[in-house]
Amino acid sequence: MPELDLDRFDRQLLTLVQQDAALTAEQLAEHVSLSASAIQRRLKRLREQGVIQRQVAVLDAAQIGRPTTFITALQVDSERPEPMARLRAWLDAEAAVQQAFYVTGENDFVLVVTAPDTTAYEALMARLLADNPPVRRYTTQVAMGVLKRGLSLPVPE
């Protein structure tokens, strides 16, 4: 997909809404030299073009009972299309899988998984293995602490 031609106003807006998507058009207009109605039109266009894919609330995982983050690497036996499509769909549908990346190298997928504790994580992984026979093995790293968490992208000037 080709990169869209974003002007400086678009770039400023994208930076601001990544920091706080709840800002009103009036609040955004205080930082960007445009009217609130122009801000609304630009945001609508950026959503329609798919630049802004969705707006979400960032929750404190510990306060909602999911304090543990696991970085999981999966290896699969075969990359046949049908089993891989089922695995991808399984990962996409599983709420505990926060992020999933198809990668190069020794592993085939790297996941970021959240769970209340190691027992819940082990149950999830047992289910993953039972539901997805092509998964040969997985390795796990437990995050000891969170230094940075986010999905904000640097928007070039």
Side-chain angles (χ1 to χ4, degrees):
M1 179 175 235
E3 185 177 316
L4 292 175
D5 186 27
L6 303 172
D7 66 18
R8 72 180 176 92
F9 298 115
D10 292 334
R11 293 175 193 285
Q12 288 175 323
L13 282 172
L14 291 171
T15 297
L16 291 166
V17 297
Q18 284 188 99
Q19 294 168 4
D20 186 354
L23 291 172
T24 65
E26 291 76 17
Q27 291 169 315
L28 289 167
E30 292 174 14
H31 299 283
V32 178
S33 300
L34 293 172
S35 69
S37 60
I39 299 277
Q40 290 173 327
R41 284 191 301 275
R42 283 175 178 267
L43 289 174
K44 181 177 188 245
R45 177 180 48 81
L46 291 166
R47 286 185 195 98
E48 289 171 350
Q49 291 175 329
V51 176
I52 298 174
Q53 294 184 344
R54 56 191 168 130
Q55 294 176 216
V56 299
V58 179
L59 306 180
D60 183 321
Q63 290 192 44
I64 61 164
R66 302 192 75 81
T68 312
T69 301
F70 301 88
I71 311 304
T72 306
L74 302 180
Q75 291 180 353
V76 297
D77 281 332
S78 167
E79 294 192 32
R80 292 190 341 253
E82 286 181 28
M84 287 295 280
R86 281 193 300 275
L87 174 59
R88 288 172 192 249
W90 193 97
L91 294 171
D92 185 50
E94 178 52 56
V97 177
Q98 298 296 288
Q99 297 181 43
F101 301 94
Y102 182 53
V103 298
T104 61
E106 183 179 334
N107 298 301
D108 298 296
F109 293 90
V110 173
L111 315 176
V112 176
V113 180
T114 182
D117 53 36
T118 55
T119 302
Y121 173 76
E122 288 173 357
L124 172 71
M125 297 314 291
R127 216 168 20 90
L128 179 136
L129 292 173
D131 294 349
N132 297 281
V135 176
R136 177 176 8 137
R137 71 184 289 262
Y138 68 92
T139 57
T140 304
Q141 294 178 304
V142 179
M144 301 299 289
V146 178
L147 303 178
K148 181 177 182 179
R149 175 179 284 149
L151 293 175
S152 296
L153 297 172
V155 180
E157 294 292 325

